[in-house]
Amino acid sequence: MKATQFLPDVQKTLEARGEPAYRLKQAYAAITESLVRDWDEATSLPKALREALSEEVPAATLEIVRIARATDGTRKYLFKAHDGHLIETVMIPEKGRNTVCISTQVGCAMGCKFCATGLLGIKRNLNAREIAEQVFVAARDVAPERISNVVVMGMGEPMLNYNATLLALKVLNDSDGFGLAARHIAVSTSGLVDKIRRFADEPEQFHLAISLHTPFEEERREIMPVASRHSIPELMSAAQYFVDKTRRKLFFEYTLLAGVNDQPRHVVALAKLLDHPLYHLNMLRFNWTDTGFEATSKKDAKAFLYHARDRGLSATLRPSRGEDIDAACGQLAAKDLRGKPELLPVVPAV
Ligand code: SAH
Ligand code: SF4
């Protein structure tokens, strides 16, 4: 049962008190559906039990340190875990949709050369509760609007924290929990092939995105160390497995880096590599990080997009969001934000 795996500490406390089994279900619903952050808000539980739980196991495991708002409406949440580690989450409002971008690790071990999270190295994995709670906080924050999409594209490589990430997503998808449709949930990976296959075998219809960034082996190795572990043919064979198994669309993420991966030869090679009706190329201009790369200009990015479409690729160019608060893809480093007060109007924590 998901509640047992998701709230092991709560279950232990309930068991020790000799509470009936349905109390765990109620506690699970309080956290995942009613989004309580304090047991006192869980009015389905008797007062004495609420008090006992409050003393022994917190309803919220992440402290909300700060919420920053960008001029385009994007919000960035800075959280502190029980051991002091900081993580970030982003909420992007767009055309009636509210998308939350969540983190799965403190830092990241993959070391992609253009990514601010990669510069941090890895500190630790988040547990399922810490992963899902980021969505719960954003959901409380946007209420009465709802969260319509969750993307696992924040800090960390989700496939290196597979079990906790998947449990969190199952809870988000659970009709007795947060209740978000699986097709509104997407995971992005830098390309760990065994995990891509394992993910394809999961029964839920979650979406997958693979960070490709260049169709050329040598170039990929230079910007993404993971490429030395898995070659592009190995990666494409896992991609093929995913679409064969799931018949779901598969997204390839492509961060446009000026002079690095935005040349005509890249389009030509991409058109060959991604020649499959279920493959979709999702481009994004590089968001500034102190890594020595430059963004492809808007004009060149558009030209690249049209060239890709001319060659038959299904492709889109995503606009960057939340850049003025360093909330865009690849900019999450959970650094102390106090240096930029004019960009960071702090709103009361939910
Ligand atoms: N670790 C996973 C998911 C998090 S990163 C992954 O790498 O796929 C989410 C996306 O942002 C990835 O495609 C990543 O390559 C991209 N990204 C990283 N740094 C970026 C930057 N500075 N500008 C634009 N995209 C970036
Ligand atoms: Fe990690 Fe993804 Fe950043 Fe690479 S791009 S360092 S895998 S978070």
Side-chain angles (χ1 to χ4, degrees), residues 7 15 22 30 33 35 39 71 77 84 98-99 108 133 174 184 195 197 200 216 219 256 291 298 301 313 335 341 349:
L7 302 172
E15 251 176 32
Y22 64 85
E33 267 188 277
L35 311 177
W39 288 118
T71 45
Y77 306 85
N98 288 316
T99 301
C108 184
E133 194 172 311
D174 187 3
H184 290 209
K195 299 293 170 46
R197 288 171 195 268
F216 299 117
E219 282 179 11
L256 288 165
T291 50
K298 278 190 183 158
L313 280 170
K335 53 192 176 207

Side-chain angles (χ1 to χ4, degrees), residues 108 110-112 114-115 117-118 154-157 190:
C108 184
M110 305 308 290
C112 302
F114 43 82
C115 173
T117 310
M155 300 168 72
E157 168 50 59
S190 57

Side-chain angles (χ1 to χ4, degrees), residues 114-115 153-154 156 188-190 211 213 253 255 284 286-287 329-330:
F114 43 82
C115 173
M153 295 191 182
S188 174
T189 176
S190 57
S211 297
H213 302 320
E253 302 288 302
T255 296
L284 179 72
F286 169 69
N287 297 306
C329 272

